[in-house]
Amino acid sequence: MSTTTLTSLTVSPDLSNTVVARWHRRLSANPTAKRSHWRTKTVYFRAVAALVTTTPTAQINWKNIVETAAPHGSRSTFYEVAGAHARHPLLEAFINDGRTESTLLALHYQRGDAVAKLIDETKVWSYWAHRDRMIDAITGPSTPEALEAEVVDAVRKWGRANPQLAAALEHAPPACAVEDLMLAHNGRLVATRAAHLLADELRRTV
């Protein structure tokens, strides 16, 4: 019997095929710009990212988000992106995935406020380039600890580049980073614990 400890085992998670990666790819790859829901989402992501640098999170509401998104913002498109019946919300992708870990991650990010939901998705959008660079830097199988270090480093870099956005919603990390950290540990790290670990890193960083 092998005496290799659990922490020294190598893992090779497919970070290009996570729930968030599939959601991002499905929406952002739409070649028809005029019909692209991702294009509409991006208008609001940019508005939120701009607002959090000047406005306390508690004072951000759908009206000032729409105003910041002008001339493309409107009440109807805001709720189409972030409302209770929004099109293609990220949490729905987790729930539809059906696995227990995805459902628990969705529950952790479940929010009753449309603005908070939009901030969570904005964090994913803002973090994506950092995630792409992290994936490019991973050349093969590694230990869970080494992959965790890669995720934490990417989150730190994002936090330093976007301190106000990173601090919003009590330093909630991008949901995709939480999913990546869970995969790094091959399902042995639950969503709440992974989210709290990354939130603590963001608090120390920003």
Side-chain angles (χ1 to χ4, degrees):
M1 181 181 292
S2 172
T3 59
T4 303
T5 63
L6 181 64
T7 55
S8 67
L9 295 174
T10 58
V11 293
S12 183
D14 185 1
L15 297 180
S16 66
N17 197 40
T18 64
V19 172
V20 186
R22 294 194 301 271
W23 172 83
H24 185 279
R25 187 163 53 244
R26 184 173 69 252
L27 295 181
S28 64
N30 189 329
T32 309
K34 289 184 178 180
R35 300 182 62 185
S36 172
H37 184 57
W38 185 254
R39 184 183 179 93
T40 304
K41 278 181 175 287
T42 300
V43 168
Y44 285 97
F45 295 158
R46 294 185 187 280
V48 169
L51 266 178
V52 295
T53 64
T54 59
T55 307
T57 304
Q59 296 178 19
I60 297 176
N61 54 56
W62 74 266
K63 289 183 179 179
N64 52 29
I65 292 174
V66 167
E67 289 171 358
T68 306
H72 303 293
S74 70
R75 185 179 186 277
S76 61
T77 55
F78 170 83
Y79 282 101
E80 182 180 275
V81 167
H85 303 288
R87 293 175 58 198
H88 310 299
L90 176 56
L91 289 190
E92 184 178 86
F94 281 120
I95 293 169
N96 289 343
D97 181 61
R99 292 175 297 167
T100 300
E101 56 267 35
S102 296
T103 301
L104 292 175
L105 203 157
L107 288 172
H108 180 78
Y109 278 91
Q110 186 66 52
R111 304 187 191 276
D113 179 62
V115 171
K117 293 177 184 177
L118 184 56
I119 291 174
D120 279 331
E121 288 196 7
T122 300
K123 290 190 180 202
V124 170
W125 166 80
S126 173
Y127 175 71
W128 206 256
H130 294 268
R131 184 180 188 271
D132 281 342
R133 286 192 288 271
M134 176 194 72
I135 292 174
D136 288 343
I138 297 173
T139 57
S142 187
T143 64
E145 292 77 15
L147 285 175
E148 175 177 327
E150 294 282 358
V151 175
V152 168
D153 184 58
V155 169
R156 285 174 178 161
K157 289 176 179 176
W158 169 76
R160 286 193 291 267
N162 304 273
Q164 294 90 353
L165 182 58
L169 303 179
E170 299 181 342
H171 296 85
C176 52
V178 175
E179 185 184 20
D180 291 343
L181 188 55
M182 293 167 65
L183 284 173
H185 286 273
N186 199 28
R188 288 182 283 268
L189 185 65
V190 298
T192 300
R193 179 61 178 157
H196 286 167
L197 286 171
L198 293 178
D200 287 343
E201 291 293 340
L202 285 174
R203 288 188 185 95
R204 287 190 285 268
T205 299
V206 305

